[in-house]
Amino acid sequence: MSRTESLLRITAAYAVALGVATAWLLAGPDTAWVWLDALVADVLATVVVFVASRMHHNSSFYDAYWSVLPPYLVAYWWWAGPRDLADPWAWLLFVVVGFWAVRLTANWVRTFPGMHHEDWRYPMLREQAGRWELVVDFVAIHLFPTLQVFLAAVPAYLLLSRDGRPIGLLAGIGALVGVAAVALEWAADRQMKEFVATRQPGESMDRGLWAWSRHPNYFGEISFWFAVAVFGMAASPEDAWWVLAGTVAMVAMFLGASIPMMEKRSLERRPSYQDVIDRVPRLLPQRPRRAG
């Protein structure tokens, strides 16, 4: 299957998934909470993507869903909430989330080679699960990321479900942090692309942003979701005690799963990566240590 046909099939699956979600939101039974209606729709869309993944024997069908759904959620919460179409705070939030989604989705489209490719972690997880591989495929690879992104997006719901409250400076700070986070991710991806095009066999990346953090792209992703949480704090300060839950979950995922798996694989493929580990901070950007 060609790369173009692969992308068209994924796009069609997402169109069906969003169609199912929209049909539920418009015609399905309502719950007592708009956020819960959105969660049910999100899970139903995830099931559609999961079915498409199984039909094509490739769980990377799900990968772009991470960045496609948040703008949809924000748009629905805005439409269902009290803020009108001209509300500047809703627009500011939507633009920041849209900026993040466009960059991340475009980067995925640029790097996705076609249906013959699947993220190396997915077959490993399914193989380790044995006879439970179907359950692990749905829960760990599809449903869990959906719930995690939804939790991190809930602060946006706080802003869009409240009208008439002064927001001011804090939302502006959230916007600046969000834009800066997306710019950092873009720069990190660009630097990695340039490195991959010219690297020598066995060479490990430790240039530019990657000299200050072994995973600047993950730091940018965490920073973006922190920015969304700041928007929620601005709209509802009394909820500040829990509004960072999504950001904390992101940190836990990257530190507890994504980074250890990536670094183990890097060491297996490039023993020189141990030198990078010895010199370059793991996640939070800091001045790199000297070798030896």
Side-chain angles (χ1 to χ4, degrees):
M1 186 183 302
S2 68
R3 179 175 182 274
T4 299
E5 184 180 352
S6 299
L7 291 172
L8 287 174
R9 290 197 181 198
I10 293 173
T11 300
Y14 284 15
V16 173
L18 294 180
V20 169
T22 302
W24 175 269
L25 292 173
L26 295 179
D30 293 331
T31 69
W33 304 279
V34 172
W35 66 265
L36 184 55
D37 294 332
L39 177 58
V40 174
D42 194 359
V43 171
L44 289 175
T46 301
V47 171
V48 173
V49 176
F50 171 69
V51 171
S53 296
R54 299 296 295 190
M55 290 174 60
H56 290 82
H57 309 287
N58 190 332
S59 295
S60 279
F61 238 85
Y62 178 85
D63 289 350
Y65 191 76
W66 178 283
S67 55
V68 167
L69 238 287
Y72 178 88
L73 292 174
V74 170
Y76 170 68
W77 286 332
W78 189 359
W79 173 79
R83 294 187 181 272
D84 60 42
L85 188 60
D87 186 272
W89 302 112
W91 271 111
L92 186 62
L93 173 65
F94 186 75
V95 167
V96 171
V97 174
F99 180 39
W100 166 83
V102 168
R103 187 218 68 85
L104 189 55
T105 307
N107 184 67
W108 176 83
V109 171
R110 179 182 63 81
T111 58
F112 184 64
M115 203 62 69
H116 61 276
H117 166 79
E118 184 179 32
D119 188 298
W120 59 272
R121 291 167 290 192
Y122 302 157
M124 181 183 69
L125 289 172
R126 292 195 300 265
E127 183 178 349
Q128 291 174 347
R131 63 177 181 174
W132 297 100
E133 68 89 15
L134 178 67
V135 176
V136 168
D137 193 7
F138 176 64
V139 175
I141 299 175
H142 293 77
L143 182 60
F144 179 76
T146 288
L147 298 178
Q148 188 165 28
V149 169
F150 188 90
L151 178 63
V154 166
Y157 169 76
L158 291 179
L159 186 145
L160 296 166
S161 63
R162 288 161 170 76
D163 192 15
R165 293 191 179 191
I167 296 178
L169 180 61
L170 195 56
I173 293 173
L176 289 175
V177 172
V179 170
V182 176
L184 186 148
E185 290 183 284
W186 177 83
D189 288 339
R190 184 176 181 83
Q191 290 173 1
M192 180 59 77
K193 178 184 176 183
E194 293 172 352
F195 168 76
V196 169
T198 60
R199 68 181 173 187
Q200 300 299 315
E203 187 179 9
S204 297
M205 176 58 155
D206 61 350
R207 308 169 189 172
L209 292 169
W210 300 83
W212 291 73
S213 169
R214 301 203 298 270
H215 303 278
N217 51 341
Y218 290 163
F219 177 76
E221 187 71 8
I222 292 168
S223 299
F224 167 76
W225 290 111
F226 174 76
V228 174
V230 171
F231 273 103
M233 291 181 199
S236 184
E238 64 272 21
D239 290 306
W241 64 275
W242 67 265
V243 82
L244 284 171
T247 306
V248 172
M250 290 288 176
V251 173
M253 179 192 70
F254 286 125
L255 290 180
S258 298
I259 290 177
M261 293 174 71
M262 290 291 291
E263 298 204 327
K264 179 181 178 183
R265 186 168 187 257
S266 293
L267 284 170
E268 291 172 349
R269 301 174 68 190
R270 296 180 299 277
S272 64
Y273 187 69
Q274 183 60 53
D275 176 64
V276 178
I277 292 176
D278 294 339
R279 292 184 292 106
V280 180
R282 189 181 196 189
L283 181 64
L284 188 66
Q286 302 174 52
R287 185 182 297 276
R289 298 181 290 273
R290 292 186 178 185

